[in-house]
Amino acid sequence: MAPHGDGSGAAEEAAAGGAEKRPVSTIVILIAMQTEALPFPKGVPWVRYHGTYKDLNINLIWPGKDPSSGVDSVGTISASLVTYAYASIQALQPDLIINAGTAGGFKAKGASISDVFLASEVAFHDRRIPIPVFDLYGVGLRPAFSTPNLVKELNLKVGKMSTGDSLDMSQQDEATIFANDATLKDMEGAAVAYVADILKVPAIFVKAVTDIVDGDKPTAEEFLQNLAAVTAALDQTVCQVVEFINGKCLSDL
């Protein structure tokens, strides 16, 4: 994903190159659950916390509570909406999006509870369209913005991530997740990547493992059991990521 811009061709490439060489000044951090973390625009439950840290303008965005059920607005629809609202040209014009949150992990791929990963690429596993080319659109494979220096500095694990709107995993989902070669399974990442790609804003995905998808415990039970402790590990890592980004250009990440 390239830095954002509304031009095309050589002009857009030149703008992208310039953006990568200037220090990052504005970031948007997207979370799905209040446990992981001023309504805007009017009438929606979204919440924005914002402030400055050293040379960074930081915006922490939470989709808020679903008005009907009162639970956190998790999943791809809310993630897409808030990403567009806050990353679009009309709003904050961030230099970088950070999708921070929890995920299931596969022990067969080396994931353990409380591990924090940077996703290398993201895709969907529940958009099944068995028609040529539409099948590729459904999977929606997109690379995350490459940050080799960040990975090295924080000693983060790296793996592919697959996104769907269900906490459990059906047999059909499992087959696609396997085809996606995923280490992580979440409910927002690929939706954030889709919007970020449209807007040409680079995005990274910081995910902490709450449950082992290919383990013995029921997913919901293990998720709730580990959520508080894993969120603490996630918060610490996100703070380290922000500290590392401060004062650096995108090309230095």
Side-chain angles (χ1 to χ4, degrees), residues 106 125 128 169-179 214:
F106 290 85
H125 57 254
R128 292 177 285 275
M169 181 173 66
S170 69
Q171 289 185 339
Q172 288 177 306
D173 289 346
E174 184 177 12
T176 307
I177 290 170
F178 181 80
D214 53 348

Side-chain angles (χ1 to χ4, degrees), residues 199-219:
L199 297 175
K200 304 305 177 190
V201 182
I204 63 174
F205 305 85
V206 184
K207 298 288 177 169
V209 177
T210 49
D211 54 278
I212 302 302
V213 185
D214 53 348
D216 300 326
K217 295 183 179 180
T219 297

Side-chain angles (χ1 to χ4, degrees), residues 183-204:
T183 300
L184 303 170
K185 171 183 173 290
D186 88 326
M187 297 176 67
E188 290 85 26
V192 173
Y194 172 78
V195 178
D197 194 26
I198 289 175
L199 297 175
K200 304 305 177 190
V201 182
I204 63 174

Side-chain angles (χ1 to χ4, degrees), residues 124 195 240:
F124 293 97
V195 178
Q240 292 172 337

Side-chain angles (χ1 to χ4, degrees), residues 5 32 51 62 75 80 110 113 121 124 127 138 159 162 176 179 197 206 215 222 251:
W62 168 50
S80 298
I113 300 296
E121 59 184 44
F124 293 97
R127 303 200 312 176
S162 195
T176 307
D197 194 26
V206 184
E222 190 172 28
S251 57

Side-chain angles (χ1 to χ4, degrees), residues 7 32 66 85 108 119 201-202 225 241:
D66 175 67
V201 182
Q225 176 184 338
V241 169

Side-chain angles (χ1 to χ4, degrees), residues 64-192:
K65 300 283 187 181
D66 175 67
S68 298
S69 65
V71 301
D72 291 302
S73 299
V74 301
T76 58
I77 295 175
S78 293
S80 298
L81 286 171
V82 297
T83 302
Y84 181 78
Y86 288 100
S88 65
I89 298 301
Q90 292 83 3
L92 303 176
Q93 299 188 46
D95 300 302
L96 180 68
I97 294 170
I98 302 173
N99 177 214
T102 58
F106 290 85
K107 64 180 180 181
K109 290 287 189 178
S112 301
I113 300 296
S114 292
D115 282 349
V116 182
F117 281 80
L118 267 181
S120 56
E121 59 184 44
V122 294
F124 293 97
H125 57 254
D126 60 356
R127 303 200 312 176
R128 292 177 285 275
I129 313 174
I131 302 172
V133 184
F134 280 94
D135 55 352
L136 299 177
Y137 164 77
V139 172
L141 176 65
R142 288 176 173 82
F145 186 74
S146 180
T147 56
N149 295 325
L150 174 62
V151 171
K152 182 178 179 180
E153 177 70 20
L154 299 187
N155 194 29
L156 296 171
K157 289 188 172 184
V158 177
K160 300 176 183 179
M161 187 166 70
S162 195
T163 296
D165 271 309
S166 296
L167 184 64
D168 65 359
M169 181 173 66
S170 69
Q171 289 185 339
Q172 288 177 306
D173 289 346
E174 184 177 12
T176 307
I177 290 170
F178 181 80
N180 289 342
D181 193 28
T183 300
L184 303 170
K185 171 183 173 290
D186 88 326
M187 297 176 67
E188 290 85 26
V192 173

